[in-house]
Amino acid sequence: MEPLSQKSLERIVSQRALQIWSSFPCQICVVGFLCGVCLTSLFLAALTSIGSFELGGISFSAISMGVSPGTSSSEVINMVTRTNFNSEPVETEKLRDLQTQNDRNDDEKVSLLYSAWSAMLNEDSEYLKHLRLTGYSVPKAPHLENCKLTAQVNQRLDKRSENESFPPWAGWKGLLDMHPAATSNEQLRYSRLKAVSEGAYPPWVTGSDDENYPLTRKVQRDIWFHQHPLNCSDPGVRFLVADWDRLPGFGSGAQLAGMFGLLAISMTEKRVLVSNYYNRADHDGCLSRSSWSCYFFPETSQECRDRAFELLGSEEAWKSGIITAKENYTSEKIWTARTPKIWGDPWSYLQPTTDVNGSLLAHHHRMDLRWWRAQAVRYFMRFPTDYTCGLLNGARHVIFGKKAAKMVRKSLNNEWPKGCSAVESGGHCYRPRPFQDQKSLHCGGGKRLPPTYPRERELQIRDQGFGKGEGEDKTKMKNENEEEQGSPDLSPTPASSLPIFFFFFFFGGLAIPPPPLGSLPSSERQHRPCNRWEAVTADRYQWRYWRQLLVVLNSPMWACYPPSSGIEEYVWSSHKPWVPRLLLSMHVRMGDKSCEMKVVEFEEYVHLAQRLRKRFPQLNSVWLSTEMQEVIDKSKSYSDWNFYHTNVTRQEGNMSMANYEASLGREISTNNALVNFLLAAEADFFIGALGSTWCFLIDGMRNTGGKVMAGYLSVNKDRFW
């Protein structure tokens, strides 16, 4: 009986306890007790993090005052007295320390952003994970270009539209031509075809006729149509197939000049020029090995190339003259090829915008050659390939990346990186990985977000030396990069913040229950934000919701871009990558060039730059390209100028250009030359030597790129003028 009575007693006690627990006053007491515990923990955590408090206008701080358990009361009174009557210096010192800490945090965040861009540029997802970042949470880099997207747009512009006779040049600019309104508007399509047939101009020419050499837009249009016949298999289409010159003494400029002579011959003889072996592209970095198309779009269509190479093996085609080669023409005819007379003589009214020895050069004996080579270089370099775009991205990032990161960081204030009130452990914030696997992360309608920037597998930024600016030392740059790439702080969340999470976990959950799995409207289910789980079973949905809530509290940075607006996606995307403005390009040619032109010392180039700055006082950035180490060393003595240059080995003494390029290797020498060329063409002003073929071609690229009125300051004249 005794066990039975004991069980009855336990049952009565349990029922009584259940009744008490079910009563509303009891629940209020329990909730109040837990709230009190959490609020007390929150108060203590805040007090610990602040480390000081004020009472009656007197500031107490265990750190600043140095109070220890063994300190006597008289010492404490003396401390309080000193604090009370000498508070201004202490406050000033605190403000100074706070400013120093803020500056340090900003520098560390700039380094974090720069490192994240570097990882994205090389598509190094492992290093990005090492930084506890995702590509979608990193602000876009203004100095980098989306090479894959640009190449796709340019490929569309460099061929005829499907079942049409003309390329889509008269459409809306850039990505706007892919806007739904453009693709579905039949009236726009008809107007576009009509405009192209009546003479719409190609999109690779920037500016109006007044901002370029005469007839530039028309000439570029005519060259393209000449090089892209409708039917390459038509018996009436003739070809000129030629390898690029590769004699040891021929530099890049001489090779281009020779090919431009062949283009003039092919235009005069009504042949399609097809370039063949290009020795400077014969390296492992080029997917289109030994071809000009490694760096720029080919000069003709693939159909015409295939047809021309097919005819090379036809004896009948050689006899009938359907196909010719470079060997059919003498070197003199190639180098002194007559400018095609298709457009009259537009060079006779070139605007005098070149300054030599303080005077504008209004006329010289080779004006036709200068005009034609400008047209030819613009056509051959009309669209850089994905590979060349990657090289430019690498150069801009190493040279201008830190400056761009500071600019972006300043514009964002404290909005990035989110979740970091202070940057710990070498500039890296600890962010737990989101619960969802990044490989399966989908945003807005199940579309997987692509990487922001493509991987340029050939690009090794630091190894190939793209970038040294303002006299920086390469060793110093490497050390800084190693410091930036230090291990992130992987310490767990501070214990003082845990009560906050539990407070929101238990009591926030009472007020904010998870939405039912099927209760969301269809529109919201399609476009709901990424911090809500995708399809999960109902029995696991509740737990995942709360687990996600904890991640939200601890790490609010999510791996999804906010939806981009139409103007961002279709309009602003057409803008060119950022570089410091105003930017002066300076090409200093010395070395073995003394046998062909008057060589001028670096001081004369700087003198011309000072002339420019008198008119444009905001000018202080110079893109310096040269083969001479002496010039780089001298540039460091001009502290009032910011000189930027690629970081490659440069020659000392009077080494020949052929030997110097051989010492660099084919890949580095060619990549470095073309990066310098294209950045010089995009600069606001240019100083060079017209006696140099390379400067001659840079000037031509600028004069067909909307920069005629920027002028050209030259330290000498061409030897043939």
Side-chain angles (χ1 to χ4, degrees), residues 1-19:
M1 294 295 295
E2 184 177 355
L4 183 59
S5 62
Q6 184 176 355
K7 290 182 179 179
S8 301
L9 180 61
E10 290 179 19
R11 188 180 301 111
I12 293 171
V13 172
S14 299
Q15 291 176 353
R16 183 58 179 167
L18 182 60
Q19 290 176 359

Side-chain angles (χ1 to χ4, degrees), residues 289-461:
R289 195 173 182 122
S290 308
S291 174
W292 176 254
S293 60
C294 170
Y295 291 101
F296 298 94
F297 278 33
E299 69 288 340
T300 188
S301 65
Q302 187 61 46
E303 292 77 12
C304 282
R305 294 181 64 84
D306 294 341
R307 175 61 176 167
F309 292 137
E310 178 187 343
L311 292 174
L312 283 176
S314 172
E315 184 177 349
E316 182 182 351
W318 285 99
K319 288 182 179 179
S320 61
I322 295 178
I323 190 167
T324 58
K326 184 175 65 174
E327 290 72 23
N328 292 89
Y329 310 95
T330 64
S331 297
E332 181 180 2
K333 185 172 183 179
I334 293 173
W335 280 86
T336 61
R338 296 177 60 85
T339 302
K341 296 292 185 179
I342 303 171
W343 309 281
D345 54 352
W347 51 85
S348 63
Y349 49 93
L350 290 178
Q351 301 179 79
T353 57
T354 301
D355 180 286
V356 181
N357 298 327
S359 302
L360 284 177
L361 189 64
H363 185 270
H364 55 81
H365 298 296
R366 303 299 297 273
M367 293 180 70
D368 59 336
L369 184 63
R370 188 180 185 187
W371 178 87
W372 170 247
R373 285 184 176 177
Q375 302 298 335
V377 71
R378 170 58 59 181
Y379 176 76
F380 266 82
M381 297 186 177
R382 64 192 182 280
F383 288 136
T385 61
D386 187 12
Y387 177 65
T388 304
C389 177
L391 296 177
L392 291 168
N393 270 348
R396 281 191 299 264
H397 182 59
V398 175
I399 299 169
F400 304 130
K402 280 291 184 69
K403 189 180 289 290
K406 290 179 181 178
M407 179 178 65
V408 172
R409 175 75 185 90
K410 184 178 179 181
S411 69
L412 294 175
N413 295 323
N414 291 323
E415 297 178 10
W416 191 91
K418 295 179 181 179
C420 288
S421 57
V423 181
E424 310 93 10
S425 182
H428 303 292
C429 297
Y430 168 54
R431 294 178 187 80
R433 292 182 187 173
F435 175 73
Q436 194 174 10
D437 182 11
Q438 294 302 317
K439 292 182 180 179
S440 61
L441 181 63
H442 290 60
C443 301
K447 294 182 180 178
R448 189 182 302 276
L449 290 178
T452 308
Y453 299 104
R455 179 177 184 177
E456 312 301 336
R457 67 170 185 82
E458 303 88 356
L459 176 63
Q460 298 296 331
I461 297 175

Side-chain angles (χ1 to χ4, degrees), residues 97 114 189 237 278 415 447 485 555 630 706:
D97 292 343
Y114 177 83
R189 179 175 173 272
V237 178
Y278 182 50
E415 297 178 10
K447 294 182 180 178
Q485 297 173 6
S555 178
E630 172 191 353

